[in-house]
């Protein structure tokens, strides 16, 4: 009977007492700690205790506690179990014929134990492992058929763990078959919200908000769309037609169109036809979508200037739209009240394959403004200039933004120009195609190309300068080229560069400084040229800060207490006085006595 009990003790499976519940732990096999843990496990082996010979086994199968023991695996009996078996599908094997780093299932690595070479195994490259652990002091002997090992936790306490070979993390999820029968049921069960048209899921707003797309309506097709403002995308600035115009967002865009066969595109491409930019109405407010038959919610587009349709005349496509300007008048939450459009047109040569640069400008202003207010452009500050806002120039009574040269895609000078932004140094250039051989006419043409159609005479001192108040503007100084050094009779002395120098400074309170322009100067650089088809031109602007900061204001005087180095200095002063000053020395003596009493009180506490 005793022998049977001893045999029964050797073959029992791992059991636990009531106060020692198992602690499951799931981790990837790559998480097995320390290099010794990477040795093959033995199947059916026993774990021997170093103090096994000194302990007396109980008569009943169970657990006999003899304190923390070091558990080691026995010699293999039948076969080994590899902790890192090769998976049937290696998800990290991305390089055929080569070993992928840290991919423990890559057969091209030819590694029996990948962890000996790799610092870790990528997720999915090893089978997941599950461990059930208890305190090592509760275990005397284990005959579990699963691999077991003792691990040290973060507190240095040994944990006896059994490795389970049927981890749920290794369960394979079979591919679900989807057909027309169960598609809707699966979509309803597992599906969520999807993208739908905003017009179907949201009720139209009562009024436009800043940045909202502006709705348009095509009566001939009964189609609702958006007001588009094509913009350039990519390095070539190709036109993107789907760019919507934002409510109250006045801006300008430029893009380029290329034509493979302009002869057929001249009359068929709607982007070249002015009619495509006004053959619709604009919805006054978004809620006008609910009643498209009510004309009160629709604003027709009026013409500022007439524009004819494109016409192909020989090798030239005439009346091609090169510029579109919308002016939209709004009245707060009452929406859009008036829309007008004006066009700029040009002619294109069919051969060779040409390109067209188009400009689209949308300007918003308040409804029922006075004529004087409508002619006044936007401020660049109030009063001081704001960095990045246009630098204002004046010619006669016309106020406008100072500009620089701008080039087209082929490098030639464009009709459109860059605005000079206050406080931003910039340089631009282009090639001007000469249209005349007369030197004086060529000089006038180049001067106009450098400073723009209007020749700036004054620059605004502040960003809110009024053209009617001349004292708010300062005259621009100029230094033109000298023609006395010309020795070539067949040459033409022309300006090739314009440098705009602007001196500015901050004035006013330091807590709220205001930037103003102190002066501006135009410097021309000229050179003599002979007959040429193209002349390279350059314009640049340079802002110089001449602010003279004042000295900081003086504050209240600070009390600078200084004590003598000699501790007996007060005694010397008090007792060195004569008899005549004894009456006046009473106060220092009293103060000294009070100080001594205070020191004595501190020492007694």
């Amino acid at each position: 009977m005793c022998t049977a009990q001893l045999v029964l003790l050797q073959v029992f499976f791992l059991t636990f007492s009531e106060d020692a519940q198992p602690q499951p732990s799931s981790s990837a096999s790559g998480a097995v700690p320390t290099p010794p843990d990477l040795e093959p496990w033995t199947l059916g082996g026993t774990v021997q205790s170093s103090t096994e010979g000194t302990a007396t086994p109980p008569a009943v199968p169970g657990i006999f506690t003899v304190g923390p023991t070091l558990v080691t695996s026995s010699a293999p009996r039948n076969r080994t179990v590899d902790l890192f078996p090769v998976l049937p599908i290696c998800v990290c094997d991305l390089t055929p014929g080569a070993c992928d780093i840290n991919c423990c299932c890559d057969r091209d690595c030819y590694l029996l134990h990948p962890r000996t070479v790799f610092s870790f195994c990528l997720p999915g490259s090893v089978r997941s492992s599950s461990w059930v652990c208890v305190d090592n002091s509760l275990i005397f002997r284990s005959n579990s058929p699963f691999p077991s090992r003792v691990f040290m936790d973060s507190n240095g306490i040994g944990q006896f763990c059994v490795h389970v070979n049927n981890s749920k993390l290794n369960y394979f999820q079979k591919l679900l078959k989807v057909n027309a029968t169960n598609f809707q049921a699966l979509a309803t069960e597992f599906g969520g919200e999807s993208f739908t048209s905003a017009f179907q899921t949201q009720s139209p707003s009562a009024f436009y908000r800043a940045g909202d797309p502006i709705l348009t309506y095509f009566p001939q097709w009964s189609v609702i769309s958006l007001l588009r403002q094509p913009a350039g995308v990519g390095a070539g600035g190709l036109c993107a037609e789907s760019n919507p115009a934002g409510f109250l967002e006045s801006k300008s865009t430029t893009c380029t169109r290329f034509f493979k066969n302009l002869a057929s595109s001249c009359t068929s491409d709607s982007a070249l036809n002015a009619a495509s930019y006004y053959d619709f109405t604009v919805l006054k407010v978004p809620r006008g979508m609910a009643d498209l038959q009510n004309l009160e919610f629709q604003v027709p587009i009026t013409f500022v200037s007439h524009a004819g349709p494109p016409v192909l005349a020989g090798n030239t496509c005439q009346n091609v739209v090169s510029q579109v300007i919308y002016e939209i008048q709004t009245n707060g939450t009452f929406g859009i009240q008036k829309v007008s459009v004006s066009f700029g047109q040009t002619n294109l040569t069919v051969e060779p394959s040409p390109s067209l640069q188009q400009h689209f400008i949308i300007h918003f202003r308040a409804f029922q403004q006075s004529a004087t207010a409508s002619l006044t452009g936007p401020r660049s500050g109030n009063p001081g200039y704001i960095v990045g806002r246009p630098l204002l120039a004046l010619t006669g009574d016309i106020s406008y933004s100072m500009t620089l040269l701008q080039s087209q895609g082929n490098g030639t000078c464009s009709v459109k120009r860059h605005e000079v932004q206050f406080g931003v140094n910039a340089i631009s250039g282009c090639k001007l195609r000469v249209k005349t051989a007369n030197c004086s006419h060529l000089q006038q043409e180049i001067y106009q190309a450098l400073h723009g159609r209007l020749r700036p005479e004054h620059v605004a001192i502040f960003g809110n300068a009024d053209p009617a108040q001349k004292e708010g503007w300062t005259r621009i100084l100029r230094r033109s080229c000298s023609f006395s050094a010309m020795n070539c009779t067949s040459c033409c002395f022309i300006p090739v560069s314009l440098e705009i120098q602007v001196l500015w400074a901050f004035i006013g309170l330091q807590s709220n400084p205001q930037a103003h322009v102190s002066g501006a100067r135009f410097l021309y650089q000229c050179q003599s040229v002979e007959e040429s088809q193209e002349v390279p031109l350059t314009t640049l602007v340079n802002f110089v800060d001449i602010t003279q900061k004042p000295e900081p204001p003086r504050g209240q005087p600070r009390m600078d207490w200084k004590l003598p180095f000699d501790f007996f200095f007060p005694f010397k002063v008090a007792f060195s006085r004569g008899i005549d000053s004894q009456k006046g020395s009473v106060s220092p003596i009293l103060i000294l006595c009070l100080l001594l009493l205070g020191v004595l009180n501190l020492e007694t506490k």
Side-chain angles (χ1 to χ4, degrees):
M1 182 65 183
C2 181
T3 303
Q5 292 178 351
L6 292 176
V7 173
L8 182 62
L9 178 62
Q10 294 178 356
V11 299
F12 80 95
F13 285 86
L14 183 64
T15 59
F16 306 99
S17 59
E18 295 179 358
D19 58 345
Q21 297 297 329
Q23 301 175 359
S25 175
S26 298
S27 63
S29 299
V32 181
T34 68
D37 297 335
L38 302 178
E39 298 296 329
W41 299 99
T42 58
L43 183 62
T46 60
V47 180
Q48 303 293 336
S49 171
S50 60
T51 59
E52 180 181 355
T54 61
T56 304
V60 183
I63 295 180
F64 183 74
T65 303
V66 294
T69 58
L70 178 62
V71 182
T72 59
S73 58
S74 64
R77 295 186 179 179
N78 39 25
R79 68 182 182 89
T80 61
V81 178
D82 189 3
L83 276 182
F84 304 102
V86 178
L87 300 179
I89 300 177
C90 190
V91 295
C92 57
D93 184 8
L94 304 180
T95 309
C99 178
D100 292 273
I101 298 177
N102 297 325
C103 184
C104 295
C105 60
D106 192 348
R107 296 179 183 270
D108 297 324
C109 298
Y110 300 102
L111 296 175
L112 180 61
H113 301 294
R115 283 296 294 261
T116 59
V117 178
F118 298 146
S119 58
F120 65 95
C121 292
L122 291 172
S125 63
V126 294
R127 292 187 182 275
S128 300
S129 58
S130 297
W131 298 84
V132 179
C133 303
V134 295
D135 193 288
N136 185 42
S137 61
L138 302 177
I139 302 299
F140 174 73
R141 177 180 297 164
S142 171
N143 287 343
S144 171
F146 305 113
S148 59
R149 208 54 193 269
V150 174
F151 299 105
M152 302 299 293
D153 61 11
S154 59
N155 297 324
I157 301 176
Q159 296 288 329
F160 177 81
C161 301
V162 176
H163 180 260
V164 184
N165 64 357
N166 61 343
S167 171
K168 65 179 182 180
L169 298 177
N170 292 318
Y171 290 170
F172 183 76
Q173 183 68 32
K174 294 183 179 180
L175 185 64
L176 185 63
K177 294 183 178 180
V178 179
N179 50 38
T181 305
N182 62 353
F183 187 97
Q184 184 60 37
L186 293 173
T188 304
E189 180 180 358
F190 300 100
E193 297 182 358
S194 60
F195 295 100
T196 56
S197 173
F199 295 154
Q200 299 177 5
T201 58
Q202 299 179 359
S203 57
S205 175
F207 51 85
Y208 288 110
R209 292 175 173 83
D212 285 352
I214 300 175
L215 301 175
T216 59
Y217 177 62
F218 293 83
Q220 62 271 33
W221 299 308
S222 299
V223 173
I224 297 177
S225 184
L226 302 176
L227 181 63
R228 309 291 182 178
Q229 186 177 11
V233 296
L238 299 179
C239 290
E241 305 290 346
S242 58
N243 182 49
F247 183 70
L248 294 181
E249 293 181 351
S250 299
K251 59 182 179 180
S252 174
T253 59
T254 302
C255 63
T256 306
R257 301 183 188 274
F258 296 91
F259 305 95
K260 294 182 179 179
N261 187 4
L262 183 58
S264 61
S265 302
C266 180
T267 56
S268 61
D269 193 342
S270 59
L272 308 181
N273 193 345
S276 63
Y277 298 99
Y278 60 82
D279 60 346
F280 51 84
T281 60
V282 177
L283 295 187
K284 184 180 297 186
V285 289
R287 59 188 178 93
M289 292 189 302
D291 190 5
L292 295 175
Q293 304 302 323
N294 190 349
L295 299 180
E296 293 183 358
F297 292 112
Q298 300 181 25
V299 179
I301 300 178
T302 58
F303 305 100
V304 177
S305 60
H306 178 73
V311 177
L312 182 62
N315 195 38
T316 304
C317 182
Q318 301 176 355
N319 299 333
V320 174
V321 174
S322 61
Q323 186 179 57
V324 181
I325 302 176
Y326 286 106
E327 184 171 294
I328 303 176
Q329 300 184 23
T330 62
N331 188 13
T333 57
F334 293 97
I336 297 173
Q337 305 297 318
K338 184 178 180 181
V339 181
S340 60
V341 62
S342 60
F343 298 96
Q345 293 183 310
T346 186
N347 299 332
L348 294 179
T349 304
V350 175
E351 295 294 341
S353 299
S355 62
L356 173 65
Q357 192 175 51
Q358 290 184 313
H359 312 286
F360 300 90
I361 302 173
I362 296 182
H363 177 65
F364 289 86
R365 67 181 181 91
F367 184 59
Q368 291 181 347
Q369 286 182 333
S370 63
T372 305
S374 62
L375 295 176
T376 304
R379 301 187 185 99
S380 294
N382 193 18
Y385 274 101
I386 299 174
V387 175
R389 300 293 295 178
L391 180 66
L392 302 181
L394 183 69
T395 300
D397 294 331
I398 302 176
S399 173
Y400 54 93
S401 301
M402 196 175 294
T403 58
L404 301 177
L405 291 172
Q406 180 173 332
S407 62
Q408 302 186 68
N410 56 2
T412 59
C413 295
S414 173
V415 179
K416 186 176 177 61
R417 299 173 62 87
H418 288 294
E419 281 188 343
V420 175
Q421 298 176 346
F422 179 82
V424 180
N425 298 335
I427 183 172
S428 63
C430 62
K431 293 182 180 180
L432 179 65
R433 291 181 177 178
V434 178
K435 299 179 181 179
T436 178
N438 185 280
C439 183
S440 60
H441 293 169
L442 179 60
Q443 291 174 352
Q444 295 178 3
E445 181 181 354
I446 293 179
Y447 272 115
Q448 183 176 355
L450 289 174
H451 53 63
R453 184 176 59 88
L454 297 177
R455 183 173 179 265
E457 299 174 352
H458 298 81
V459 64
I461 299 177
F462 288 100
N464 62 346
D466 187 354
Q469 304 295 330
K470 299 301 180 182
E471 62 274 10
W473 303 78
T474 180
R475 181 173 294 277
I476 299 175
L477 305 178
R478 299 178 185 276
R479 192 176 71 183
S480 301
C481 301
S482 175
F483 297 92
S484 60
M486 291 185 58
N487 297 322
C488 178
T489 57
S490 62
C491 300
C492 184
F493 205 63
I494 59 174
V496 294
S497 175
L498 169 61
E499 180 182 359
I500 305 174
Q501 296 178 346
V502 181
L503 305 181
W504 69 278
F506 282 116
I507 63 172
L509 298 175
Q510 291 190 10
S511 59
N512 186 23
Q514 302 295 315
H516 82 293
V517 174
S518 302
R521 182 174 65 170
F522 281 11
L523 297 179
Y524 296 94
Q525 292 184 2
C526 303
Q527 68 181 22
S528 59
V529 296
E530 296 183 0
E531 295 183 0
S532 177
Q533 297 296 326
E534 291 183 348
V535 178
L537 302 178
T538 304
T539 53
L540 60 123
V541 59
N542 185 24
F543 289 86
V544 180
D545 185 3
I546 59 173
T547 302
Q548 296 181 354
K549 297 183 179 180
E551 295 182 0
R554 297 181 179 180
Q556 296 294 330
R558 295 182 302 174
M559 302 298 294
D560 190 7
W561 297 96
K562 293 183 179 180
L563 299 177
F565 294 101
D566 189 358
F567 177 76
F568 296 98
F569 177 78
F571 301 96
K572 295 179 181 179
V573 174
F575 293 103
S576 63
R577 296 180 179 179
I579 300 174
D580 296 336
S581 60
Q582 288 182 357
K583 183 177 180 180
S585 63
V586 176
S587 298
I589 295 176
L590 291 176
I591 295 174
L592 180 61
C593 293
L594 293 175
L595 290 175
L596 293 176
L597 289 175
V599 172
L600 293 176
N601 291 333
L602 291 175
E603 292 180 353
T604 55
K605 290 183 179 180

